Amino acid sequence: MQGARMEPVEPAEAAPRSTVLLKPVDVPKASDVLARELRERILSGELVEGTALPAERELVKQTQMSRATVREALRILEVQNLVRVRAGRAGGAFVQRPTTKSMASSVTLMIRGQQIKLADLMETREALEPFCAELAAQKRTDDDLAVLDQANADIADPNADLAAFLQANLDWHVGVATAGHNELLIGFMTALSHAIYTGTENAAFVDDTVRAVTARAHRSITNAIRSRDAETASRRMRRHVHSYAKAALAMDEREAISVED
């Protein structure tokens, strides 16, 4: 019996190649996800200052995350100054809100890490401090004036060594910012003033003439703040910080400064 003839099979057409392009998917770490959720609840005010977070074991149970993940999330929040961790039987993780101190610390780290030039610090102070003086004249309290008066007395002390003079100078500049009662400016000016303190810690520059000129300028600006004369306070501060910067930069040609904690 003759076998049936087999017809040739046509090859199947190849499926068209897809033109869809996908990018790598960045999956966040579980610890980052937990830290972000807690951070938002703290910053929104849902978790108020001083609130105790659940114990580590309870957080593991609630989130179904590992203990290592929970610990890493708490470490992230602690570094960001959003929780403080206390040891002991009454310890644990407690909510804290950002403060001017934590802001100043962050700005200081940025100044150090980027090795910001002294000239840039001085330019920033020239831009901000006249406005700080203006705000101080508008919003100052008797307590604010007492801080400025004490700083002026310490600056004028003929027995003050270099460190004492620079500290009094720092106290006065931060005091002016504080008298303006603007939390952002207070935090920023605190960091900036500390950096300039270090950048001008030079006995050859801070001589008797510089001390006398500084004391006179500070008293003049303080008087304007006391009189609530915002325009005069701003003008005098602008003149003071400009002349101080010009003299300091002429003495010190370094490209960067190192700010110590």
Side-chain angles (χ1 to χ4, degrees):
M1 180 177 177
Q2 188 174 1
R5 182 179 177 185
M6 302 293 294
E7 296 293 333
V9 178
E10 295 293 332
E13 292 185 6
R17 184 178 298 276
S18 173
T19 59
V20 176
L21 297 177
L22 298 177
K23 295 180 179 180
V25 178
D26 185 13
V27 180
K29 293 170 57 180
S31 57
D32 291 335
V33 173
L34 178 55
R36 181 166 61 244
E37 179 181 346
L38 290 171
R39 183 189 308 115
E40 290 305 312
R41 296 175 71 177
I42 292 170
L43 295 177
S44 70
E46 179 183 346
L47 298 177
V48 299
E49 180 93 18
T51 298
L53 296 181
E56 185 179 285
R57 182 178 301 176
E58 181 61 22
L59 282 173
V60 169
K61 180 179 178 181
Q62 290 182 17
T63 63
Q64 297 296 300
M65 294 179 177
S66 69
R67 178 163 292 187
T69 296
V70 168
R71 287 179 177 174
E72 177 62 21
L74 293 177
R75 276 196 292 267
I76 292 172
L77 295 175
E78 187 177 16
V79 168
Q80 294 173 342
N81 293 304
L82 294 175
V83 301
R84 63 183 184 280
V85 179
R86 293 205 303 255
R89 295 185 60 184
F94 297 86
V95 171
Q96 62 182 15
R97 302 296 298 277
T99 64
T100 53
K101 183 177 180 181
S102 60
M103 176 192 171
S105 177
S106 296
V107 174
T108 296
L109 289 176
M110 184 267 190
I111 291 172
R112 295 182 66 185
Q114 295 296 324
Q115 296 185 320
I116 302 298
K117 296 178 182 179
L118 179 59
D120 292 343
L121 295 175
M122 292 295 194
E123 285 177 354
T124 305
R125 186 163 84 164
E126 286 192 58
L128 291 180
E129 281 214 271
F131 183 64
C132 288
E134 181 178 334
L135 282 183
Q138 295 169 352
K139 300 181 178 182
R140 60 83 177 155
T141 65
D142 290 342
D143 288 341
D144 295 327
L145 288 176
V147 171
L148 297 179
D149 288 339
Q150 182 60 58
N152 284 334
D154 293 339
I155 287 171
D157 183 357
N159 298 317
D161 60 14
L162 177 61
F165 170 83
L166 290 174
Q167 182 61 53
N169 190 47
L170 185 154
D171 292 342
W172 186 84
H173 283 278
V174 173
V176 170
T178 301
H181 298 275
N182 180 305
E183 295 298 322
L184 287 174
L185 285 175
I186 294 169
F188 200 86
M189 288 306 305
T190 298
L192 191 61
S193 296
H194 275 282
I196 291 174
Y197 174 119
T198 301
T200 57
E201 194 172 9
N202 184 336
F205 167 61
V206 186
D207 57 16
D208 290 343
T209 299
V210 167
R211 292 192 184 207
V213 169
T214 299
R216 189 162 57 249
H218 285 197
R219 285 195 304 270
S220 176
I221 298 166
T222 301
N223 288 338
I225 292 172
R226 191 187 313 276
S227 300
R228 299 193 184 279
D229 187 343
E231 182 180 351
T232 299
S234 176
R235 184 179 66 254
R236 290 175 180 175
M237 179 67 88
R238 182 176 294 105
R239 184 169 61 242
H240 167 54
V241 295
H242 178 74
S243 61
Y244 192 90
K246 184 177 180 180
L249 293 173
M251 171 65 70
D252 190 342
E253 296 296 333
R254 287 175 295 176
E255 285 296 301
I257 66 170
S258 174
V259 182
E260 300 298 333
D261 292 333

Short mmCIF file of all heavy atoms in Angstrom, two decimals, residues 146-215:
data_model
loop_
_atom_site.label_atom_id
_atom_site.label_comp_id
_atom_site.label_asym_id
_atom_site.label_seq_id
_atom_site.Cartn_x
_atom_site.Cartn_y
_atom_site.Cartn_z
N ALA A 146 18.39 92.57 76.71
CA ALA A 146 19.31 92.21 77.79
C ALA A 146 20.44 91.32 77.26
O ALA A 146 21.60 91.46 77.68
CB ALA A 146 18.54 91.49 78.90
N VAL A 147 20.11 90.41 76.34
CA VAL A 147 21.14 89.54 75.74
C VAL A 147 22.13 90.38 74.94
O VAL A 147 23.35 90.18 75.04
CB VAL A 147 20.47 88.48 74.85
CG1 VAL A 147 21.53 87.72 74.04
CG2 VAL A 147 19.66 87.51 75.68
N LEU A 148 21.63 91.32 74.16
CA LEU A 148 22.51 92.16 73.35
C LEU A 148 23.39 93.05 74.24
O LEU A 148 24.58 93.23 73.96
CB LEU A 148 21.69 93.02 72.39
CG LEU A 148 20.87 92.27 71.34
CD1 LEU A 148 20.09 93.26 70.46
CD2 LEU A 148 21.77 91.40 70.46
N ASP A 149 22.79 93.59 75.30
CA ASP A 149 23.56 94.45 76.21
C ASP A 149 24.68 93.67 76.89
O ASP A 149 25.81 94.18 77.04
CB ASP A 149 22.64 95.06 77.26
CG ASP A 149 21.73 96.13 76.68
OD1 ASP A 149 22.06 96.67 75.61
OD2 ASP A 149 20.67 96.42 77.29
N GLN A 150 24.40 92.43 77.29
CA GLN A 150 25.43 91.61 77.94
C GLN A 150 26.55 91.28 76.96
O GLN A 150 27.73 91.34 77.31
CB GLN A 150 24.81 90.31 78.47
CG GLN A 150 25.81 89.41 79.20
CD GLN A 150 26.43 90.10 80.39
OE1 GLN A 150 25.73 90.53 81.30
NE2 GLN A 150 27.76 90.21 80.42
N ALA A 151 26.17 90.96 75.73
CA ALA A 151 27.19 90.67 74.71
C ALA A 151 28.05 91.90 74.44
O ALA A 151 29.28 91.81 74.30
CB ALA A 151 26.53 90.20 73.42
N ASN A 152 27.43 93.08 74.39
CA ASN A 152 28.19 94.32 74.18
C ASN A 152 29.17 94.58 75.32
O ASN A 152 30.30 95.02 75.10
CB ASN A 152 27.23 95.50 74.04
CG ASN A 152 26.55 95.55 72.68
OD1 ASN A 152 27.09 95.05 71.71
ND2 ASN A 152 25.36 96.12 72.63
N ALA A 153 28.73 94.29 76.55
CA ALA A 153 29.62 94.47 77.70
C ALA A 153 30.80 93.52 77.61
O ALA A 153 31.95 93.90 77.91
CB ALA A 153 28.83 94.25 78.99
N ASP A 154 30.55 92.28 77.20
CA ASP A 154 31.63 91.30 77.09
C ASP A 154 32.59 91.66 75.96
O ASP A 154 33.81 91.46 76.07
CB ASP A 154 31.04 89.91 76.84
CG ASP A 154 30.25 89.38 78.03
OD1 ASP A 154 30.47 89.89 79.15
OD2 ASP A 154 29.39 88.50 77.83
N ILE A 155 32.06 92.20 74.87
CA ILE A 155 32.91 92.62 73.74
C ILE A 155 33.83 93.75 74.16
O ILE A 155 35.00 93.82 73.76
CB ILE A 155 32.03 93.04 72.55
CG1 ILE A 155 31.39 91.81 71.91
CG2 ILE A 155 32.84 93.82 71.51
CD1 ILE A 155 30.35 92.12 70.86
N ALA A 156 33.31 94.66 74.97
CA ALA A 156 34.09 95.83 75.39
C ALA A 156 35.05 95.54 76.53
O ALA A 156 35.83 96.42 76.91
CB ALA A 156 33.14 96.96 75.78
N ASP A 157 35.01 94.33 77.10
CA ASP A 157 35.86 93.99 78.23
C ASP A 157 37.33 94.02 77.80
O ASP A 157 37.75 93.21 76.95
CB ASP A 157 35.50 92.59 78.74
CG ASP A 157 36.30 92.18 79.96
OD1 ASP A 157 37.18 92.96 80.40
OD2 ASP A 157 36.05 91.07 80.48
N PRO A 158 38.13 94.91 78.35
CA PRO A 158 39.54 95.00 77.92
C PRO A 158 40.37 93.79 78.32
O PRO A 158 41.46 93.57 77.76
CB PRO A 158 40.04 96.27 78.63
CG PRO A 158 39.15 96.40 79.83
CD PRO A 158 37.81 95.89 79.41
N ASN A 159 39.88 92.99 79.27
CA ASN A 159 40.62 91.82 79.72
C ASN A 159 40.23 90.54 78.98
O ASN A 159 40.79 89.47 79.27
CB ASN A 159 40.39 91.61 81.22
CG ASN A 159 40.91 92.79 82.04
OD1 ASN A 159 41.99 93.30 81.78
ND2 ASN A 159 40.13 93.23 83.02
N ALA A 160 39.30 90.64 78.05
CA ALA A 160 38.85 89.45 77.32
C ALA A 160 39.93 88.98 76.36
O ALA A 160 40.50 89.79 75.61
CB ALA A 160 37.56 89.77 76.58
N ASP A 161 40.20 87.67 76.38
CA ASP A 161 41.16 87.13 75.42
C ASP A 161 40.45 86.94 74.06
O ASP A 161 39.26 87.26 73.92
CB ASP A 161 41.78 85.83 75.91
CG ASP A 161 40.74 84.73 76.17
OD1 ASP A 161 39.58 84.88 75.73
OD2 ASP A 161 41.10 83.73 76.83
N LEU A 162 41.17 86.43 73.08
CA LEU A 162 40.62 86.30 71.74
C LEU A 162 39.37 85.42 71.74
O LEU A 162 38.36 85.78 71.12
CB LEU A 162 41.67 85.71 70.79
CG LEU A 162 41.21 85.45 69.34
CD1 LEU A 162 40.78 86.75 68.68
CD2 LEU A 162 42.31 84.75 68.55
N ALA A 163 39.44 84.27 72.41
CA ALA A 163 38.29 83.36 72.43
C ALA A 163 37.07 84.01 73.07
O ALA A 163 35.95 83.87 72.57
CB ALA A 163 38.65 82.08 73.17
N ALA A 164 37.29 84.75 74.15
CA ALA A 164 36.18 85.41 74.84
C ALA A 164 35.57 86.50 73.97
O ALA A 164 34.34 86.66 73.92
CB ALA A 164 36.65 85.98 76.17
N PHE A 165 36.41 87.25 73.27
CA PHE A 165 35.91 88.30 72.39
C PHE A 165 35.08 87.70 71.26
O PHE A 165 33.98 88.17 70.96
CB PHE A 165 37.06 89.11 71.81
CG PHE A 165 36.62 90.06 70.72
CD1 PHE A 165 36.09 91.30 71.03
CD2 PHE A 165 36.72 89.69 69.38
CE1 PHE A 165 35.66 92.18 70.03
CE2 PHE A 165 36.30 90.56 68.37
CZ PHE A 165 35.77 91.80 68.70
N LEU A 166 35.62 86.65 70.61
CA LEU A 166 34.90 86.05 69.50
C LEU A 166 33.59 85.42 69.95
O LEU A 166 32.59 85.46 69.23
CB LEU A 166 35.79 85.01 68.81
CG LEU A 166 36.98 85.56 68.03
CD1 LEU A 166 37.86 84.42 67.52
CD2 LEU A 166 36.52 86.43 66.87
N GLN A 167 33.57 84.83 71.15
CA GLN A 167 32.34 84.25 71.66
C GLN A 167 31.30 85.33 71.93
O GLN A 167 30.12 85.15 71.61
CB GLN A 167 32.61 83.46 72.96
CG GLN A 167 31.38 82.78 73.54
CD GLN A 167 30.79 81.75 72.59
OE1 GLN A 167 31.50 80.86 72.10
NE2 GLN A 167 29.50 81.85 72.31
N ALA A 168 31.74 86.45 72.49
CA ALA A 168 30.81 87.56 72.73
C ALA A 168 30.29 88.12 71.41
O ALA A 168 29.11 88.49 71.29
CB ALA A 168 31.51 88.64 73.54
N ASN A 169 31.18 88.20 70.44
CA ASN A 169 30.77 88.67 69.11
C ASN A 169 29.72 87.73 68.50
O ASN A 169 28.71 88.18 67.94
CB ASN A 169 32.00 88.75 68.20
CG ASN A 169 31.71 89.45 66.89
OD1 ASN A 169 31.10 90.52 66.86
ND2 ASN A 169 32.15 88.85 65.80
N LEU A 170 29.96 86.42 68.63
CA LEU A 170 29.00 85.43 68.14
C LEU A 170 27.67 85.57 68.88
O LEU A 170 26.60 85.53 68.26
CB LEU A 170 29.58 84.02 68.35
CG LEU A 170 28.81 82.81 67.80
CD1 LEU A 170 29.77 81.66 67.53
CD2 LEU A 170 27.74 82.33 68.78
N ASP A 171 27.73 85.72 70.21
CA ASP A 171 26.51 85.85 71.00
C ASP A 171 25.69 87.05 70.55
O ASP A 171 24.45 86.99 70.51
CB ASP A 171 26.85 86.00 72.49
CG ASP A 171 27.45 84.73 73.09
OD1 ASP A 171 27.28 83.66 72.48
OD2 ASP A 171 28.07 84.82 74.16
N TRP A 172 26.37 88.14 70.20
CA TRP A 172 25.65 89.34 69.78
C TRP A 172 24.96 89.12 68.43
O TRP A 172 23.78 89.44 68.26
CB TRP A 172 26.61 90.53 69.68
CG TRP A 172 25.91 91.82 69.39
CD1 TRP A 172 25.31 92.67 70.27
CD2 TRP A 172 25.70 92.39 68.08
NE1 TRP A 172 24.75 93.75 69.62
CE2 TRP A 172 24.97 93.60 68.28
CE3 TRP A 172 26.05 92.02 66.79
CZ2 TRP A 172 24.60 94.43 67.23
CZ3 TRP A 172 25.69 92.83 65.73
CH2 TRP A 172 24.97 94.02 65.95
N HIS A 173 25.68 88.55 67.47
CA HIS A 173 25.09 88.34 66.15
C HIS A 173 23.93 87.35 66.20
O HIS A 173 22.90 87.56 65.56
CB HIS A 173 26.16 87.88 65.15
CG HIS A 173 27.05 88.98 64.67
ND1 HIS A 173 26.69 89.83 63.64
CD2 HIS A 173 28.27 89.40 65.09
CE1 HIS A 173 27.66 90.72 63.44
NE2 HIS A 173 28.63 90.47 64.31
N VAL A 174 24.10 86.27 66.95
CA VAL A 174 23.00 85.33 67.11
C VAL A 174 21.86 85.99 67.89
O VAL A 174 20.68 85.76 67.61
CB VAL A 174 23.47 84.04 67.83
CG1 VAL A 174 22.28 83.13 68.16
CG2 VAL A 174 24.47 83.29 66.97
N GLY A 175 22.22 86.85 68.84
CA GLY A 175 21.20 87.57 69.61
C GLY A 175 20.35 88.48 68.74
O GLY A 175 19.14 88.61 68.97
N VAL A 176 20.96 89.10 67.75
CA VAL A 176 20.19 89.95 66.82
C VAL A 176 19.21 89.09 66.04
O VAL A 176 18.03 89.45 65.89
CB VAL A 176 21.13 90.71 65.87
CG1 VAL A 176 20.31 91.40 64.76
CG2 VAL A 176 21.96 91.74 66.63
N ALA A 177 19.67 87.96 65.53
CA ALA A 177 18.77 87.06 64.80
C ALA A 177 17.65 86.56 65.70
O ALA A 177 16.48 86.50 65.30
CB ALA A 177 19.56 85.89 64.22
N THR A 178 17.99 86.22 66.93
CA THR A 178 16.99 85.71 67.88
C THR A 178 15.94 86.78 68.17
O THR A 178 14.75 86.47 68.32
CB THR A 178 17.67 85.27 69.19
OG1 THR A 178 18.63 84.24 68.89
CG2 THR A 178 16.65 84.72 70.17
N ALA A 179 16.36 88.04 68.25
CA ALA A 179 15.43 89.13 68.54
C ALA A 179 14.43 89.33 67.41
O ALA A 179 13.38 89.95 67.61
CB ALA A 179 16.21 90.43 68.78
N GLY A 180 14.72 88.78 66.22
CA GLY A 180 13.79 88.87 65.10
C GLY A 180 12.69 87.82 65.16
O GLY A 180 11.71 87.90 64.44
N HIS A 181 12.90 86.80 66.01
CA HIS A 181 11.89 85.76 66.24
C HIS A 181 11.43 85.08 64.96
O HIS A 181 10.25 84.81 64.76
CB HIS A 181 10.70 86.33 67.03
CG HIS A 181 11.08 86.85 68.38
ND1 HIS A 181 11.16 86.04 69.48
CD2 HIS A 181 11.46 88.09 68.78
CE1 HIS A 181 11.55 86.75 70.52
NE2 HIS A 181 11.76 88.01 70.11
N ASN A 182 12.40 84.79 64.08
CA ASN A 182 12.17 84.01 62.87
C ASN A 182 13.02 82.76 62.99
O ASN A 182 14.24 82.83 62.92
CB ASN A 182 12.54 84.83 61.62
CG ASN A 182 12.32 84.07 60.32
OD1 ASN A 182 12.84 82.98 60.13
ND2 ASN A 182 11.55 84.67 59.42
N GLU A 183 12.37 81.60 63.18
CA GLU A 183 13.10 80.37 63.49
C GLU A 183 14.08 79.97 62.40
O GLU A 183 15.17 79.49 62.68
CB GLU A 183 12.11 79.23 63.74
CG GLU A 183 11.22 79.42 64.96
CD GLU A 183 12.02 79.50 66.26
OE1 GLU A 183 13.01 78.75 66.39
OE2 GLU A 183 11.65 80.30 67.13
N LEU A 184 13.72 80.16 61.14
CA LEU A 184 14.63 79.81 60.04
C LEU A 184 15.89 80.67 60.07
O LEU A 184 17.01 80.16 59.93
CB LEU A 184 13.92 79.96 58.70
CG LEU A 184 12.87 78.89 58.36
CD1 LEU A 184 12.16 79.25 57.07
CD2 LEU A 184 13.52 77.52 58.24
N LEU A 185 15.70 81.97 60.27
CA LEU A 185 16.86 82.86 60.31
C LEU A 185 17.73 82.58 61.53
O LEU A 185 18.95 82.66 61.46
CB LEU A 185 16.40 84.32 60.30
CG LEU A 185 15.91 84.85 58.95
CD1 LEU A 185 15.36 86.27 59.11
CD2 LEU A 185 17.02 84.83 57.92
N ILE A 186 17.10 82.27 62.66
CA ILE A 186 17.88 81.97 63.86
C ILE A 186 18.77 80.75 63.63
O ILE A 186 19.98 80.76 63.92
CB ILE A 186 16.95 81.73 65.07
CG1 ILE A 186 16.21 83.01 65.44
CG2 ILE A 186 17.76 81.22 66.27
CD1 ILE A 186 15.09 82.80 66.44
N GLY A 187 18.19 79.68 63.08
CA GLY A 187 18.97 78.47 62.83
C GLY A 187 20.09 78.71 61.85
O GLY A 187 21.24 78.28 62.04
N PHE A 188 19.78 79.42 60.77
CA PHE A 188 20.79 79.67 59.75
C PHE A 188 21.90 80.58 60.27
O PHE A 188 23.08 80.33 60.05
CB PHE A 188 20.14 80.29 58.51
CG PHE A 188 20.97 80.14 57.27
CD1 PHE A 188 20.88 79.00 56.49
CD2 PHE A 188 21.87 81.12 56.90
CE1 PHE A 188 21.65 78.85 55.36
CE2 PHE A 188 22.65 80.98 55.77
CZ PHE A 188 22.54 79.84 54.99
N MET A 189 21.52 81.66 60.97
CA MET A 189 22.52 82.60 61.46
C MET A 189 23.37 81.99 62.56
O MET A 189 24.54 82.36 62.72
CB MET A 189 21.85 83.88 61.95
CG MET A 189 21.30 84.77 60.84
SD MET A 189 22.52 85.18 59.58
CE MET A 189 23.84 85.88 60.58
N THR A 190 22.81 81.04 63.33
CA THR A 190 23.62 80.36 64.35
C THR A 190 24.75 79.60 63.69
O THR A 190 25.92 79.70 64.10
CB THR A 190 22.73 79.41 65.17
OG1 THR A 190 21.73 80.17 65.86
CG2 THR A 190 23.57 78.64 66.19
N ALA A 191 24.43 78.82 62.65
CA ALA A 191 25.47 78.06 61.95
C ALA A 191 26.46 78.99 61.26
O ALA A 191 27.67 78.78 61.32
CB ALA A 191 24.82 77.13 60.92
N LEU A 192 25.95 80.01 60.63
CA LEU A 192 26.81 80.95 59.89
C LEU A 192 27.76 81.67 60.84
O LEU A 192 28.96 81.83 60.55
CB LEU A 192 25.95 81.95 59.15
CG LEU A 192 26.63 82.85 58.12
CD1 LEU A 192 27.24 82.02 57.00
CD2 LEU A 192 25.62 83.84 57.54
N SER A 193 27.25 82.10 61.98
CA SER A 193 28.09 82.83 62.94
C SER A 193 29.18 81.94 63.52
O SER A 193 30.31 82.40 63.73
CB SER A 193 27.20 83.41 64.06
OG SER A 193 26.29 84.35 63.55
N HIS A 194 28.86 80.68 63.79
CA HIS A 194 29.87 79.75 64.29
C HIS A 194 30.98 79.56 63.24
O HIS A 194 32.17 79.49 63.59
CB HIS A 194 29.23 78.40 64.63
CG HIS A 194 28.63 78.34 66.00
ND1 HIS A 194 29.38 78.18 67.14
CD2 HIS A 194 27.34 78.45 66.40
CE1 HIS A 194 28.59 78.17 68.20
NE2 HIS A 194 27.35 78.34 67.78
N ALA A 195 30.58 79.46 61.98
CA ALA A 195 31.58 79.27 60.92
C ALA A 195 32.48 80.50 60.80
O ALA A 195 33.70 80.37 60.65
CB ALA A 195 30.87 79.00 59.59
N ILE A 196 31.89 81.67 60.87
CA ILE A 196 32.68 82.90 60.76
C ILE A 196 33.57 83.08 61.99
O ILE A 196 34.70 83.58 61.89
CB ILE A 196 31.75 84.11 60.56
CG1 ILE A 196 31.11 84.02 59.16
CG2 ILE A 196 32.51 85.43 60.70
CD1 ILE A 196 30.07 85.08 58.89
N TYR A 197 33.09 82.65 63.15
CA TYR A 197 33.92 82.65 64.37
C TYR A 197 35.24 81.94 64.08
O TYR A 197 36.34 82.46 64.33
CB TYR A 197 33.16 81.94 65.49
CG TYR A 197 33.92 81.72 66.79
CD1 TYR A 197 33.48 82.29 67.97
CD2 TYR A 197 35.05 80.90 66.85
CE1 TYR A 197 34.15 82.08 69.17
CE2 TYR A 197 35.73 80.68 68.03
CZ TYR A 197 35.27 81.27 69.19
OH TYR A 197 35.93 81.05 70.38
N THR A 198 35.14 80.70 63.54
CA THR A 198 36.34 79.92 63.26
C THR A 198 37.18 80.56 62.16
O THR A 198 38.41 80.59 62.24
CB THR A 198 35.94 78.49 62.85
OG1 THR A 198 35.18 77.89 63.90
CG2 THR A 198 37.16 77.64 62.57
N GLY A 199 36.51 81.11 61.15
CA GLY A 199 37.23 81.69 60.03
C GLY A 199 37.99 82.95 60.37
O GLY A 199 38.92 83.33 59.66
N THR A 200 37.59 83.62 61.45
CA THR A 200 38.27 84.87 61.84
C THR A 200 39.03 84.73 63.16
O THR A 200 39.38 85.74 63.77
CB THR A 200 37.24 86.01 61.94
OG1 THR A 200 36.22 85.67 62.88
CG2 THR A 200 36.60 86.29 60.59
N GLU A 201 39.27 83.51 63.58
CA GLU A 201 40.01 83.29 64.83
C GLU A 201 41.50 83.52 64.56
O GLU A 201 42.30 82.60 64.46
CB GLU A 201 39.76 81.87 65.35
CG GLU A 201 40.21 81.67 66.79
CD GLU A 201 39.77 80.33 67.34
OE1 GLU A 201 39.27 79.50 66.56
OE2 GLU A 201 39.93 80.12 68.55
N ASN A 202 41.83 84.79 64.47
CA ASN A 202 43.17 85.19 64.06
C ASN A 202 43.57 86.41 64.88
O ASN A 202 43.04 87.50 64.71
CB ASN A 202 43.15 85.52 62.56
CG ASN A 202 44.53 85.87 62.02
OD1 ASN A 202 45.41 86.29 62.76
ND2 ASN A 202 44.70 85.70 60.72
N ALA A 203 44.48 86.20 65.78
CA ALA A 203 44.90 87.28 66.68
C ALA A 203 45.51 88.45 65.92
O ALA A 203 45.41 89.60 66.35
CB ALA A 203 45.90 86.74 67.71
N ALA A 204 46.12 88.17 64.78
CA ALA A 204 46.71 89.25 63.99
C ALA A 204 45.64 90.15 63.40
O ALA A 204 45.86 91.35 63.18
CB ALA A 204 47.58 88.67 62.88
N PHE A 205 44.47 89.58 63.14
CA PHE A 205 43.36 90.38 62.60
C PHE A 205 42.56 91.06 63.71
O PHE A 205 42.27 92.26 63.64
CB PHE A 205 42.45 89.48 61.76
CG PHE A 205 41.14 90.14 61.42
CD1 PHE A 205 41.10 91.30 60.67
CD2 PHE A 205 39.94 89.59 61.86
CE1 PHE A 205 39.89 91.92 60.36
CE2 PHE A 205 38.73 90.18 61.56
CZ PHE A 205 38.71 91.35 60.81
N VAL A 206 42.20 90.29 64.74
CA VAL A 206 41.37 90.83 65.82
C VAL A 206 42.27 91.59 66.80
O VAL A 206 42.52 91.14 67.92
CB VAL A 206 40.57 89.71 66.52
CG1 VAL A 206 39.60 90.31 67.54
CG2 VAL A 206 39.80 88.89 65.51
N ASP A 207 42.75 92.73 66.37
CA ASP A 207 43.60 93.54 67.24
C ASP A 207 42.75 94.56 67.99
O ASP A 207 41.51 94.53 67.93
CB ASP A 207 44.69 94.24 66.41
CG ASP A 207 44.11 95.10 65.29
OD1 ASP A 207 42.89 95.40 65.32
OD2 ASP A 207 44.86 95.49 64.38
N ASP A 208 43.40 95.46 68.71
CA ASP A 208 42.66 96.43 69.53
C ASP A 208 41.78 97.34 68.67
O ASP A 208 40.68 97.72 69.08
CB ASP A 208 43.64 97.28 70.34
CG ASP A 208 44.32 96.47 71.45
OD1 ASP A 208 43.78 95.40 71.78
OD2 ASP A 208 45.37 96.92 71.96
N THR A 209 42.24 97.67 67.48
CA THR A 209 41.45 98.54 66.60
C THR A 209 40.17 97.86 66.15
O THR A 209 39.08 98.44 66.19
CB THR A 209 42.27 98.95 65.37
OG1 THR A 209 43.44 99.66 65.81
CG2 THR A 209 41.45 99.82 64.44
N VAL A 210 40.30 96.60 65.72
CA VAL A 210 39.13 95.84 65.29
C VAL A 210 38.15 95.68 66.45
O VAL A 210 36.93 95.82 66.27
CB VAL A 210 39.54 94.46 64.74
CG1 VAL A 210 38.32 93.55 64.58
CG2 VAL A 210 40.24 94.63 63.40
N ARG A 211 38.65 95.43 67.64
CA ARG A 211 37.77 95.28 68.81
C ARG A 211 37.02 96.57 69.08
O ARG A 211 35.80 96.56 69.35
CB ARG A 211 38.58 94.87 70.03
CG ARG A 211 39.18 93.48 69.94
CD ARG A 211 39.72 93.06 71.29
NE ARG A 211 40.37 91.76 71.25
CZ ARG A 211 40.47 90.94 72.29
NH1 ARG A 211 39.95 91.30 73.47
NH2 ARG A 211 41.08 89.79 72.19
N ALA A 212 37.72 97.69 69.03
CA ALA A 212 37.09 98.97 69.32
C ALA A 212 36.03 99.31 68.27
O ALA A 212 34.92 99.77 68.61
CB ALA A 212 38.14 100.07 69.38
N VAL A 213 36.35 99.08 67.00
CA VAL A 213 35.40 99.37 65.92
C VAL A 213 34.17 98.47 66.06
O VAL A 213 33.02 98.92 65.89
CB VAL A 213 36.06 99.18 64.55
CG1 VAL A 213 35.02 99.22 63.44
CG2 VAL A 213 37.12 100.25 64.33
N THR A 214 34.40 97.20 66.36
CA THR A 214 33.29 96.25 66.53
C THR A 214 32.39 96.66 67.68
O THR A 214 31.16 96.67 67.55
CB THR A 214 33.84 94.83 66.76
OG1 THR A 214 34.62 94.42 65.64
CG2 THR A 214 32.70 93.84 66.99
N ALA A 215 33.00 97.00 68.81
CA ALA A 215 32.21 97.40 69.98
C ALA A 215 31.36 98.63 69.68
O ALA A 215 30.18 98.70 70.05
CB ALA A 215 33.14 97.67 71.17
#
